[in-house]
Amino acid sequence: MKSSALARKAAAFGASTAVLAGLVAGLVASPAQAATAATASGATVAAGSKVQPKVSVSTPKASTRDYQGSCPVDVTFSATVKVKLKGKTTLAYRWLHGDGSKSKVKTVKVKGNGTKSVKVSEKATFKGDVKGWQALQVLGPRKVTSKKGYFSVSCLKLDAPKKHVRVSARAWASPSSYVGACTPGTKIDVNGLIKVSRPSWVRYRWVVNGRVVDYGKVKVWSSRKVGIDISARHSQRGSAYLEVLSPDHTTSNRAYYKVWCKDTTPPPAPAVKVSVTDLVTATNHDGCKVGAHANINLTGAASVQWTWSVNGQSVLKGQSSFGGSGSKNVTLPERVLTGAAKSGGKITLSVFGPKNSDSITQSYAACEEVKPSVEVSGAAVTAAKGDVCPAGTLSGSATVTAKGGFKGQAVWTYEGVHLAGVSIGDGANTVSFQGKAFNELTKDGVTELKIFSTDGKVLETVAAAFKAPCA
């Protein structure tokens, strides 16, 4: 999570609803999306529609809420946006960070009837200890901000002076008693839990029925599970225990188990069918990238293979296993578009199950090139009396909004006197000054706010008048 001082200042002022609506509209790329109209609340709905889509946002969750370990570390934040609509709309959103910074605005095309769920995520890298929060702000079709999702990162210092490590171990069998058919795949899981007083490498071995069957070495931060499988191909009884060899020697309790093999004829399993739904594409105009995600649905336990294709070309393959009927979301990570693909295209997810296959295709929006630009708003200057007239002071402020990678300078002046100046970049930049003293303020005046490019060229000049306090 990176944030500049200017971004933190911008967070204090906040963009108006009208500005946010304009921003969302600027992200819409396709002709169908261009047909939407901005409402007073900042929502975009299809032209001619009378009802704005309802939007709700879940509280963001961190992939590791309270992390302890080596740094730097990547933490992924995710949230779900639910949009109830009839037709189609464009979802625009950004991430709010606990340090006051904000992510760039991204858009996702959503269409269909009923409530659609859109999962979004953001990854941040932390190099030191931090406690903070993330929130997701939806800008369109309706402005909604989620609750804050809190997290913490604690970087362990493993180079501290070594101390004696206390180790404990516990073991258990799962299941401890098995009755049923015994096949080559029938196994008893023997699990162990190792706990240490401080992060250490731990060497251990498993002993089953008095015989060493496995050795291992793992890094344990606080506690960690280890385990083995015992083949249950015939009726038997037995026990297993976990023995820690270093950095301290200890032995777990004995985990007892028993197996009774019985011939059973399982009923024929119903045909397992696979389907794919809820494909959503997202065009990231920053860098001209496209990504997508969809749901794979299965009516029973099975493994399925899936393939992502962009404009007819396979780009990613994978496999998902289901323990039973249900749905799983698969994601196509953002990919850089080149050539004709920048003008829009189609993304397809094909799924292959044990009995059937299915596929779904969705168009993605063309990426728009964002050109550098700058806009000045809210420029105002006021004058106040000094201790004794004609002396007085000037104070003023303005917001300079830049985008498209713009960089430059913003400078306030009055009759050749420098009042304030700051470097500006993408986002809302505040240029202000307070209590600038003058020996004489007996007449009305006009100040100027000038925007300069990096090569010193004046790009824009905005005048702000004030009334003399000692006239």
Side-chain angles (χ1 to χ4, degrees):
M1 185 188 305
K2 299 180 180 178
S3 61
S4 65
L6 293 177
R8 290 193 178 101
K9 291 180 181 179
F13 284 84
S16 68
T17 302
V19 174
L20 289 174
L23 178 59
V24 174
L27 294 171
V28 179
S30 69
Q33 292 168 311
T36 61
T39 69
S41 64
T44 56
V45 297
S49 176
K50 297 182 180 180
V51 180
Q52 302 172 5
K54 294 183 179 180
V55 178
S56 63
V57 188
S58 68
T59 302
K61 292 184 178 179
S63 55
T64 303
R65 178 184 170 88
D66 298 303
Y67 173 81
Q68 292 184 350
S70 59
C71 294
V73 62
D74 291 337
V75 179
T76 300
F77 302 90
S78 59
T80 300
V81 182
K82 292 186 177 181
V83 183
K84 186 175 183 181
L85 75 163
K86 184 176 182 182
K88 59 184 177 180
T89 188
T90 298
L91 178 68
Y93 65 92
R94 63 183 176 186
W95 288 93
L96 306 181
H97 308 137
D99 62 1
S101 62
K102 305 173 184 176
S103 73
K104 294 185 178 180
V105 175
K106 293 186 178 182
T107 61
V108 177
K109 290 175 59 180
V110 185
K111 71 176 186 178
N113 296 325
T115 300
K116 300 296 179 180
S117 295
V118 181
K119 293 186 177 180
V120 297
S121 61
E122 181 184 62
K123 183 171 74 174
T125 301
F126 299 97
K127 298 181 179 179
D129 295 351
V130 64
K131 288 186 177 180
W133 55 266
Q134 292 266 107
L136 183 67
Q137 185 177 59
V138 175
L139 305 177
R142 183 188 295 270
K143 185 178 178 184
V144 179
T145 302
S146 75
K147 294 181 179 179
K148 297 175 181 178
Y150 292 90
F151 70 96
S152 67
V153 172
S154 179
C155 299
L156 296 180
K157 298 180 181 179
L158 302 181
D159 56 351
K162 292 185 177 180
K163 299 179 181 179
H164 176 70
V165 181
R166 296 187 303 277
V167 184
S168 63
R170 182 170 64 90
W172 67 94
S174 178
S176 59
S177 178
Y178 173 79
V179 178
C182 294
T183 66
T186 304
K187 298 182 183 298
I188 299 293
D189 294 327
V190 181
N191 303 298
L193 180 66
I194 301 173
K195 291 186 177 181
V196 295
S197 59
R198 65 178 180 83
S200 305
W201 281 100
V202 175
R203 292 176 57 249
Y204 66 92
R205 66 182 183 180
W206 282 101
V207 181
V208 179
N209 298 327
R211 184 169 60 91
V212 176
V213 298
D214 186 47
Y215 283 89
K217 181 180 180 181
V218 293
K219 184 62 178 270
V220 183
W221 297 99
S222 174
S223 64
R224 182 164 179 174
K225 285 185 177 181
V226 295
I228 57 171
D229 293 328
I230 299 176
S231 178
R233 301 182 66 177
H234 58 84
S235 298
Q236 57 181 288
R237 291 174 180 264
S239 66
Y241 65 85
L242 174 63
E243 182 181 5
V244 175
L245 304 176
S246 67
D248 190 16
H249 186 272
T250 188
T251 302
S252 76
N253 60 293
R254 287 182 179 270
Y256 293 93
Y257 68 91
K258 60 182 179 180
V259 176
W260 180 20
C261 296
K262 293 181 63 177
D263 292 333
T264 60
T265 303
V272 177
K273 292 188 178 181
V274 65
S275 63
V276 58
T277 58
D278 303 316
L279 173 59
V280 178
T281 65
T283 301
N284 184 352
H285 302 285
D286 182 10
C288 198
K289 303 174 185 177
V290 68
H293 61 82
N295 288 330
I296 297 176
N297 314 297
L298 212 62
T299 60
S303 292
V304 299
Q305 281 140 11
W306 44 263
T307 300
W308 284 104
S309 301
V310 178
N311 296 324
Q313 181 178 0
S314 173
V315 296
L316 183 64
K317 294 183 178 182
Q319 179 175 306
S320 295
S321 296
F322 288 71
S325 61
S327 298
K328 289 188 178 181
N329 189 267
V330 291
T331 300
L332 173 65
E334 285 189 341
R335 304 180 57 84
V336 176
L337 298 173
T338 60
K342 292 183 178 181
S343 300
K346 294 182 178 180
I347 294 179
T348 299
L349 176 60
S350 301
V351 184
F352 307 92
K355 296 294 182 180
N356 72 309
S357 61
D358 193 17
S359 66
I360 190 171
T361 300
Q362 173 69 51
S363 299
Y364 66 85
C367 63
E368 296 180 344
E369 182 180 359
V370 181
K371 296 181 179 180
S373 63
V374 66
E375 180 182 347
V376 179
S377 61
V381 174
T382 58
K385 293 180 181 179
D387 293 337
V388 179
C389 279
T393 61
L394 293 180
S395 300
S397 177
T399 299
V400 181
T401 303
K403 61 182 179 179
F406 179 86
K407 292 184 179 179
Q409 291 279 332
V411 178
W412 276 106
T413 60
Y414 172 55
E415 294 185 349
V417 177
H418 178 87
L419 301 177
V422 297
S423 297
I424 57 176
D426 278 359
N429 305 267
T430 301
V431 188
S432 62
F433 58 94
Q434 297 289 330
K436 192 70 175 182
F438 287 87
N439 293 331
E440 183 175 327
L441 286 178
T442 58
K443 61 179 181 178
D444 297 346
V446 178
T447 61
E448 290 184 333
L449 175 61
K450 294 184 178 181
I451 309 300
F452 295 87
S453 62
T454 53
D455 58 5
K457 181 180 178 181
V458 178
L459 302 178
E460 187 171 350
T461 299
V462 177
F466 65 87
K467 292 290 186 178
C470 297

Short mmCIF file of all heavy atoms in Angstrom, two decimals, residues 2 42 56 116 132-133 167 171 174 180 186 245 254-255 268 293 300 353 366 399 404 448 461:
data_model
loop_
_atom_site.label_atom_id
_atom_site.label_comp_id
_atom_site.label_asym_id
_atom_site.label_seq_id
_atom_site.Cartn_x
_atom_site.Cartn_y
_atom_site.Cartn_z
N LYS A 2 0.94 1.96 -1.09
CA LYS A 2 1.79 3.14 -1.19
C LYS A 2 0.93 4.37 -1.33
O LYS A 2 -0.04 4.38 -2.06
CB LYS A 2 2.73 3.02 -2.39
CG LYS A 2 3.67 1.79 -2.28
CD LYS A 2 4.58 1.72 -3.48
CE LYS A 2 5.50 0.52 -3.37
NZ LYS A 2 6.37 0.39 -4.55
N GLY A 42 -24.94 10.04 -8.54
CA GLY A 42 -23.71 9.51 -9.06
C GLY A 42 -23.87 8.14 -9.68
O GLY A 42 -22.90 7.52 -10.08
N SER A 56 -24.68 -3.25 -2.98
CA SER A 56 -24.21 -3.48 -1.61
C SER A 56 -22.77 -3.99 -1.68
O SER A 56 -22.39 -4.62 -2.66
CB SER A 56 -25.10 -4.48 -0.88
OG SER A 56 -25.06 -5.73 -1.52
N LYS A 116 -26.31 -9.82 -9.08
CA LYS A 116 -25.03 -10.32 -9.59
C LYS A 116 -23.93 -10.00 -8.57
O LYS A 116 -23.88 -8.89 -8.04
CB LYS A 116 -24.68 -9.70 -10.95
CG LYS A 116 -25.71 -9.99 -12.03
CD LYS A 116 -25.79 -11.47 -12.34
CE LYS A 116 -26.84 -11.78 -13.41
NZ LYS A 116 -26.91 -13.22 -13.70
N GLY A 132 -3.70 -1.41 10.19
CA GLY A 132 -4.48 -0.50 9.35
C GLY A 132 -5.79 -1.12 8.90
O GLY A 132 -6.25 -2.12 9.46
N TRP A 133 -6.37 -0.54 7.87
CA TRP A 133 -7.64 -1.02 7.34
C TRP A 133 -7.72 -0.74 5.85
O TRP A 133 -6.98 0.08 5.31
CB TRP A 133 -8.82 -0.38 8.06
CG TRP A 133 -8.81 1.14 8.06
CD1 TRP A 133 -8.31 1.96 9.02
CD2 TRP A 133 -9.30 2.01 7.03
NE1 TRP A 133 -8.45 3.27 8.67
CE2 TRP A 133 -9.07 3.33 7.46
CE3 TRP A 133 -9.91 1.80 5.80
CZ2 TRP A 133 -9.42 4.45 6.69
CZ3 TRP A 133 -10.27 2.90 5.04
CH2 TRP A 133 -10.01 4.20 5.50
N VAL A 167 9.42 -27.13 23.06
CA VAL A 167 8.63 -27.78 22.01
C VAL A 167 7.64 -28.74 22.66
O VAL A 167 7.98 -29.45 23.62
CB VAL A 167 9.52 -28.54 21.02
CG1 VAL A 167 8.67 -29.12 19.89
CG2 VAL A 167 10.60 -27.64 20.45
N ALA A 171 -0.80 -35.77 18.94
CA ALA A 171 -1.17 -36.56 17.77
C ALA A 171 -2.60 -37.09 17.93
O ALA A 171 -3.07 -37.30 19.05
CB ALA A 171 -0.21 -37.73 17.59
N SER A 174 -7.60 -39.72 12.33
CA SER A 174 -8.86 -39.26 11.75
C SER A 174 -9.16 -40.09 10.50
O SER A 174 -8.47 -39.95 9.49
CB SER A 174 -8.78 -37.77 11.40
OG SER A 174 -9.97 -37.34 10.78
N GLY A 180 -15.98 -50.27 6.90
CA GLY A 180 -16.44 -50.12 5.52
C GLY A 180 -15.53 -50.85 4.57
O GLY A 180 -14.68 -51.67 4.95
N THR A 186 -8.23 -46.31 0.57
CA THR A 186 -8.73 -46.13 1.93
C THR A 186 -7.55 -45.87 2.86
O THR A 186 -6.61 -46.69 2.93
CB THR A 186 -9.51 -47.36 2.40
OG1 THR A 186 -10.57 -47.64 1.48
CG2 THR A 186 -10.09 -47.12 3.79
N LEU A 245 12.79 -34.47 17.35
CA LEU A 245 14.20 -34.76 17.57
C LEU A 245 15.01 -33.51 17.92
O LEU A 245 15.96 -33.58 18.70
CB LEU A 245 14.79 -35.42 16.31
CG LEU A 245 14.05 -36.69 15.84
CD1 LEU A 245 14.64 -37.18 14.54
CD2 LEU A 245 14.10 -37.77 16.91
N ARG A 254 0.08 -41.19 22.29
CA ARG A 254 -0.18 -42.22 21.27
C ARG A 254 -1.58 -42.00 20.68
O ARG A 254 -2.54 -41.84 21.42
CB ARG A 254 -0.08 -43.62 21.84
CG ARG A 254 1.35 -44.04 22.14
CD ARG A 254 1.41 -45.46 22.66
NE ARG A 254 2.78 -45.86 22.91
CZ ARG A 254 3.58 -46.44 22.01
NH1 ARG A 254 3.10 -46.71 20.80
NH2 ARG A 254 4.82 -46.78 22.32
N ALA A 255 -1.67 -42.02 19.36
CA ALA A 255 -2.95 -41.90 18.65
C ALA A 255 -3.38 -43.31 18.23
O ALA A 255 -2.75 -43.91 17.35
CB ALA A 255 -2.81 -40.98 17.45
N PRO A 268 -24.94 -46.94 -7.37
CA PRO A 268 -24.38 -46.20 -8.51
C PRO A 268 -24.48 -44.69 -8.28
O PRO A 268 -25.52 -44.19 -7.84
CB PRO A 268 -25.24 -46.64 -9.70
CG PRO A 268 -26.52 -47.14 -9.08
CD PRO A 268 -26.13 -47.74 -7.77
N HIS A 293 -13.55 -13.14 -14.33
CA HIS A 293 -13.79 -14.25 -13.41
C HIS A 293 -15.18 -14.81 -13.67
O HIS A 293 -16.06 -14.13 -14.21
CB HIS A 293 -13.62 -13.82 -11.94
CG HIS A 293 -14.56 -12.74 -11.51
ND1 HIS A 293 -15.86 -12.97 -11.12
CD2 HIS A 293 -14.38 -11.40 -11.40
CE1 HIS A 293 -16.44 -11.84 -10.79
NE2 HIS A 293 -15.56 -10.85 -10.95
N GLY A 300 -21.89 -32.80 -8.27
CA GLY A 300 -21.36 -33.84 -7.39
C GLY A 300 -19.86 -33.73 -7.28
O GLY A 300 -19.24 -32.78 -7.80
N GLY A 353 -15.92 -31.52 -17.70
CA GLY A 353 -16.20 -32.39 -16.56
C GLY A 353 -16.11 -33.86 -16.95
O GLY A 353 -15.79 -34.20 -18.10
N ALA A 366 -13.23 -1.89 -24.90
CA ALA A 366 -11.96 -1.39 -25.41
C ALA A 366 -11.30 -0.50 -24.36
O ALA A 366 -11.97 0.18 -23.59
CB ALA A 366 -12.19 -0.60 -26.70
N THR A 399 -8.13 23.74 -5.91
CA THR A 399 -7.91 22.32 -6.16
C THR A 399 -7.51 22.13 -7.61
O THR A 399 -8.22 22.58 -8.52
CB THR A 399 -9.17 21.50 -5.85
OG1 THR A 399 -9.50 21.66 -4.47
CG2 THR A 399 -8.93 20.01 -6.13
N GLY A 404 -3.99 11.19 -16.36
CA GLY A 404 -3.24 10.76 -17.54
C GLY A 404 -1.74 10.86 -17.39
O GLY A 404 -1.01 11.00 -18.37
N GLU A 448 -3.22 35.39 -9.05
CA GLU A 448 -3.21 34.46 -10.17
C GLU A 448 -2.65 33.11 -9.72
O GLU A 448 -1.66 33.04 -8.99
CB GLU A 448 -2.37 34.99 -11.33
CG GLU A 448 -2.98 36.18 -12.04
CD GLU A 448 -2.15 36.61 -13.26
OE1 GLU A 448 -0.92 36.36 -13.26
OE2 GLU A 448 -2.73 37.17 -14.19
N THR A 461 -3.87 29.74 -16.61
CA THR A 461 -3.82 30.79 -15.60
C THR A 461 -5.24 31.05 -15.10
O THR A 461 -6.16 31.28 -15.90
CB THR A 461 -3.22 32.09 -16.17
OG1 THR A 461 -1.89 31.83 -16.60
CG2 THR A 461 -3.19 33.18 -15.08
#
